[in-house]
Amino acid sequence: MKINHLFRLFVSGALLCAALPAYAESSPANLDSLTEIASLIRWSGVFMSLIVVFIAWLMLKFTQNLVDSIGNQFAQRRMLAQKLQSFFQFFVYMTAGISVFMLSFRVDDRVLTLIGGTLAVSIGFAMKDLAASFIAGLTVMIDRPFQVGDRVTFEGHYGDIVTIGLRSVRMQTLTDDIITIPNSKFLSDVVISGNYGALDMQVVIPFYVALDQDLTLASDIIREAAASSRYIHLPKPIVVLVKQDISDSYFAIKLTLKAYVLDIKYEKLFETDITLRVMQEFKKQSICPPTIIQSTKISR
């Protein structure tokens, strides 16, 4: 297998060498371009460039092992060591790249022109998204679809807005995750704000009971549990809505509580407090949940 592969490489190289004179005769301009590009390369510095790359690789490998060792022995220092490692890696990459370029190429006006054009195109592409996010950030700050401290829902994520920057918005979820969202996303997607600058926020809690239960008593229990909660914002109304809920597995009466929590940070505590006390009172008053309908299939 290896001999066959080497034979193919040899034949391909021979055909390429045979085709070069014909290509040179048919396309002298292309040959002149290749010769001009080759004249810019400093062949004596290519070997030194390989040594620089190898040294950079050794330094990065040593740094990675050092950071892993520090993280294993001193857990509280792990995050600091990883941050320092990131800065060191960036420094090594930049130093090695500049050194390889200076060693491998003859820097003159042509090379500087080529580098300037390449950098201009690269920076233009990189700045396109940044400029779009910058303009979107200004739009968000002027239009104000939400504010810092608002509890919002965006693309399935639910949490508090902690920072509004010119490039991105940071959201802290209820599981204490930080989500970074580019500002340009908010120009086309729907954002739901639960409190919109206010400290209080409406919380919706559903309850289900059987069809033959005392709905008036159940509504009073839910309303009393909400009114007596330590997290309730009493100046706002407490509403209990009643409707039939029919599904494939049960028939039930759905009682929906709509009440306001005094501070958005107590939302889940408010919901838990009311749910526990309503369930306990339902049990005392013998208010039963809906019965699950189990369908049986008779096989023949």
Side-chain angles (χ1 to χ4, degrees):
M1 183 66 70
K2 292 183 179 180
I3 296 176
N4 189 18
H5 182 65
L6 292 175
F7 177 74
R8 290 180 180 179
L9 290 177
F10 176 75
V11 173
S12 300
L15 292 176
L16 182 61
C17 292
L20 282 177
Y23 179 75
E25 292 177 0
S26 60
S27 304
N30 292 333
L31 183 59
D32 293 339
S33 299
L34 292 176
T35 304
E36 184 177 359
I37 294 174
S39 64
L40 298 178
I41 300 176
R42 184 180 295 156
W43 299 102
S44 60
V46 173
F47 179 73
M48 291 299 299
S49 299
L50 295 177
I51 296 177
V52 170
V53 172
F54 180 71
I55 293 175
W57 178 80
L58 288 179
M59 294 176 65
L60 294 176
K61 190 71 174 177
F62 173 77
T63 305
Q64 182 65 49
N65 294 334
L66 181 61
V67 170
D68 292 340
S69 177
I70 294 175
N72 294 330
Q73 296 181 10
F74 308 98
Q76 68 275 12
R77 303 294 183 185
R78 188 186 67 221
M79 299 298 293
L80 177 60
Q82 290 176 347
K83 292 178 182 179
L84 294 177
Q85 180 192 14
S86 300
F87 286 108
F88 181 74
Q89 284 181 345
F90 179 77
F91 174 76
V92 170
Y93 288 145
M94 291 297 297
T95 304
I98 294 174
S99 300
V100 168
F101 176 79
M102 297 299 295
L103 290 172
S104 302
F105 294 94
R106 295 182 176 90
V107 180
D108 55 12
D109 294 339
R110 294 174 298 173
V111 176
L112 293 177
T113 302
L114 179 62
I115 294 174
T118 304
L119 287 178
V121 174
S122 302
I123 293 174
F125 277 107
M127 292 293 291
K128 179 182 66 173
D129 295 335
L130 184 61
S133 296
F134 178 79
I135 296 174
L138 294 178
T139 304
V140 168
M141 292 181 179
I142 295 173
D143 188 54
R144 300 183 71 185
F146 48 82
Q147 305 172 39
V148 174
D150 283 2
R151 183 155 289 188
V152 303
T153 302
F154 180 77
E155 289 188 346
H157 302 293
Y158 183 64
D160 300 330
I161 300 297
V162 294
T163 303
I164 300 177
L166 292 177
R167 190 193 67 84
S168 62
V169 170
R170 284 184 173 84
M171 174 195 298
Q172 184 176 14
T173 66
L174 300 187
T175 56
D176 206 24
D177 295 326
I178 299 296
I179 300 175
T180 302
I181 307 170
N183 289 331
S184 56
K185 291 280 188 178
F186 296 105
L187 297 181
S188 57
D189 295 340
V190 177
V191 184
I192 302 173
S193 179
N195 57 325
Y196 195 66
L199 194 59
D200 60 275
M201 183 183 69
Q202 186 183 86
V203 178
V204 178
I205 308 175
F207 298 94
Y208 297 88
V209 299
L211 296 176
D212 56 349
Q213 302 302 302
D214 189 344
L215 300 183
T216 302
L217 178 59
S219 299
D220 292 340
I221 291 173
I222 295 173
R223 189 176 289 104
E224 182 180 354
S228 59
S229 175
R230 68 170 71 178
Y231 307 109
I232 188 70
H233 186 58
L234 284 177
K236 295 293 183 69
I238 300 174
V239 179
V240 179
L241 303 178
V242 181
K243 67 172 291 187
Q244 290 183 343
D245 194 354
I246 301 174
S247 70
D248 296 334
S249 58
Y250 65 86
F251 300 100
I253 297 296
K254 180 180 179 181
L255 298 96
T256 303
L257 168 67
K258 292 186 175 182
Y260 287 79
V261 63
L262 59 89
D263 193 327
I264 59 173
K265 67 181 181 179
Y266 299 132
E267 176 192 358
K268 293 306 177 182
L269 294 175
F270 180 57
E271 183 177 344
T272 301
D273 178 47
I274 292 177
T275 302
L276 288 177
R277 291 194 290 118
V278 167
M279 292 293 101
Q280 290 175 0
E281 195 63 27
F282 276 4
K283 187 175 181 180
K284 290 180 181 179
Q285 300 297 332
S286 300
I287 297 178
C288 302
T291 303
I292 304 298
I293 301 175
Q294 296 181 352
S295 60
T296 57
K297 295 182 179 180
I298 302 176
S299 60
R300 296 181 179 180

